[in-house]
Amino acid sequence: MAAQATTSLGTAVTGFGMNVWIFEETGSFALFATLAVVAALPGLLLAPVAGVVVDRYDRRLVLLACQGVGVVMLALTLLAALTDSLSAPLVGVLWAVMSSVGAFSWPAVSASITVLSSPEQRPRVNGLAETLMGTVTVGSPVLGAVLYRFIGIEGIAAFDLASYAACLGLIAYMRFPEERRRAGAAVGGGPRFGDDLREAWRFLSGRRDLLRLLVFFVLVNVGLSMFTVLYAPYVLSFASSGVLGILLSLGGAGTIVAGAVYSATGGPTAKHVGVLAGALLAGLSMAALGLLREPYALYAVAFLYGTSVPLLNASSQTLWQANVPPALQGRVFSLRRMLAWSMTPVSMVASVPLAERFAAPLVREGRPAAGLWGTGTAGALGLTATLCGLLCLLVIALTQATGGLRTEGGQPVA
């Protein structure tokens, strides 16, 4: 987890710097959203392949390969920045490659937690993972803003390169206990990739409770994806990059606090309740953030939004780890991620016409909505953010009305 947090910090700092650079260079929300889609697609398309690789081969070697690819890509990005050759298409390529790296590293880390920790420890480990990611979220905007201001995009690329190199060293030093590796891992030969994927799908399709949980995340992620891609442009449309940095940091602070509490207590006994509570808090926060312009009110709600992350993610992760056999987790987790985020590119693309063609006319001068959300770009993006939150709340209401999210498995899988 420490190794993963190291690269996450570098990547988050780079993401902050690149987001500000793109928006300042172009001022185009449409281009911003397009690049986000380009970044998301490779990770989604590669997820099934990544799952098979993670289950077939040594997960430590998979993680080493991911860090090595990251080092090479960031070195090329640094070279482009130093030679004044950085461009929006090149940023898109960087994000696409790093998304592909994430497609392999995420299931490798998630499945490794299962085999390296006892069932009783997993909720606390997942809570700790959220705390570490919250720490990254707090530090990265501040660090990104400082680096961007004083040493520019070149310094940010260098920082990310150093973080990946450090993580590569940490993982190379690590040794997974031989006796705790997954059973039946294939080093070569064995079933074809298609057979492995069909086995994962047969398991998932036979668990209607897990499919229901997956559908819930597909629908909630539509709102979360739209909100994520419009958040930075929305804030930058009426405030400075410094305010954006503070908001992102406070969101991370909320994640740290909630993650620490989750790690210390193990979270709600009924993990499905934690999932619903996290989604509820996220939906309410998104709806409120779209309405607000006063910095201190935004700061408070951003903190609350951050607290939703451990409730939602750690509870969901613990449920999946408890209900999926370790030997299948690489494939099932990758399949789950691909399906859960399958609507992400569509949502990101849809956020542009939703903001520009639906929301913008509603917040023109003299319209009733303008009195709540304001006018111009800030008003249109703010109304869209509120709609994202309302969508999440609607999904929660429909889920509860049709049976909730309780899973069948009563005991964690050892």
Side-chain angles (χ1 to χ4, degrees):
M1 285 191 299
Q4 191 72 8
T6 302
T7 55
S8 295
L9 177 61
T11 301
V13 168
T14 300
F16 179 88
M18 293 294 184
N19 285 344
V20 174
W21 184 81
I22 286 290
F23 200 71
E24 287 184 349
E25 289 288 315
T26 68
S28 171
F29 174 60
L31 176 60
F32 192 93
T34 300
L35 287 174
V37 172
V38 169
L41 276 174
L44 289 174
L45 297 176
L46 286 173
V49 175
V52 175
V53 169
V54 166
D55 278 344
R56 281 195 174 198
Y57 302 103
D58 189 324
R59 287 164 183 167
R60 175 175 167 272
L61 294 180
V62 172
L63 290 171
L64 283 172
C66 289
Q67 303 312 308
V69 172
V71 166
V72 171
M73 191 63 204
L74 288 165
L76 293 174
T77 303
L78 176 58
L79 179 62
L82 290 172
T83 57
D84 203 23
S85 304
L86 194 63
S87 63
L90 185 57
V91 171
V93 171
L94 170 65
W95 286 351
V97 172
M98 301 313 284
S99 171
S100 302
V101 168
F104 287 86
S105 63
W106 181 81
V109 170
S110 299
S112 296
I113 288 175
T114 302
V115 298
L116 294 173
S117 62
S118 68
E120 295 76 18
Q121 292 174 325
R122 287 172 202 156
R124 299 178 186 275
V125 171
N126 290 324
L128 179 59
E130 294 298 329
T131 301
L132 288 173
M133 295 311 298
T135 305
V136 167
T137 305
V138 168
S140 59
V142 176
L143 188 56
V146 170
L147 291 176
Y148 188 79
R149 178 177 179 182
F150 291 105
I151 54 179
I153 205 71
E154 301 89 347
I156 286 178
F159 180 86
D160 200 1
L161 176 60
S163 74
Y164 265 79
C167 184
L168 186 64
L170 284 171
I171 295 175
Y173 178 76
M174 290 172 59
R175 292 293 181 273
F176 287 11
E178 186 69 29
E179 68 275 8
R180 304 191 81 175
R181 287 184 183 169
R182 62 215 174 280
V187 176
R192 293 174 298 177
F193 270 39
D195 295 332
D196 281 346
L197 290 176
R198 280 190 287 273
E199 183 183 5
W201 174 247
R202 280 195 297 270
F203 171 82
L204 187 56
S205 60
R207 289 292 301 268
R208 305 187 76 176
D209 55 334
L210 294 180
L211 281 176
R212 186 176 177 82
L213 178 62
L214 182 57
V215 170
F216 174 81
F217 268 88
V218 170
L219 298 176
V220 167
N221 283 339
V222 171
L224 291 174
S225 299
M226 286 188 184
F227 181 77
T228 299
V229 76
L230 66 83
Y231 189 39
Y234 165 59
V235 174
L236 292 172
S237 68
F238 64 88
S240 67
S241 60
V243 172
L244 174 62
I246 294 172
L247 286 171
L248 294 174
S249 293
L250 285 172
T255 301
I256 290 175
V257 172
V261 172
Y262 201 107
S263 182
T265 63
T269 302
K271 300 305 179 201
H272 68 283
V273 173
V275 171
L276 290 168
L280 177 64
L281 189 53
L284 291 172
S285 299
M286 287 188 287
L289 282 166
L291 286 163
L292 301 171
R293 299 291 185 277
E294 166 61 38
Y296 290 104
L298 286 166
Y299 296 159
V301 178
F303 180 86
L304 290 176
Y305 180 71
T307 64
S308 71
V309 176
L311 264 177
L312 186 61
N313 290 346
S315 297
S316 172
Q317 188 74 339
T318 303
L319 280 174
W320 284 94
Q321 288 169 339
N323 285 275
V324 180
L328 283 172
Q329 286 189 5
R331 284 163 286 170
V332 172
F333 285 4
S334 291
L335 189 61
R336 155 201 166 196
R337 189 180 196 187
M338 182 188 72
L339 295 174
W341 292 100
S342 60
M343 294 301 293
T344 295
V346 177
S347 303
M348 289 176 171
V349 171
S351 67
V352 177
L354 182 62
E356 295 181 352
R357 298 181 185 177
F358 177 77
L362 293 178
V363 295
R364 286 175 183 159
E365 194 71 42
R367 295 291 182 89
L372 286 174
W373 286 277
T375 59
T377 302
L381 294 178
L383 174 56
T384 307
T386 297
L387 292 175
C388 292
L390 294 178
L391 173 62
C392 289
L393 298 179
L394 177 62
V395 171
I396 295 167
L398 291 174
T399 299
Q400 283 297 88
T402 56
L405 292 177
R406 187 181 298 275
T407 56
E408 295 170 4
Q411 296 298 323
V413 177

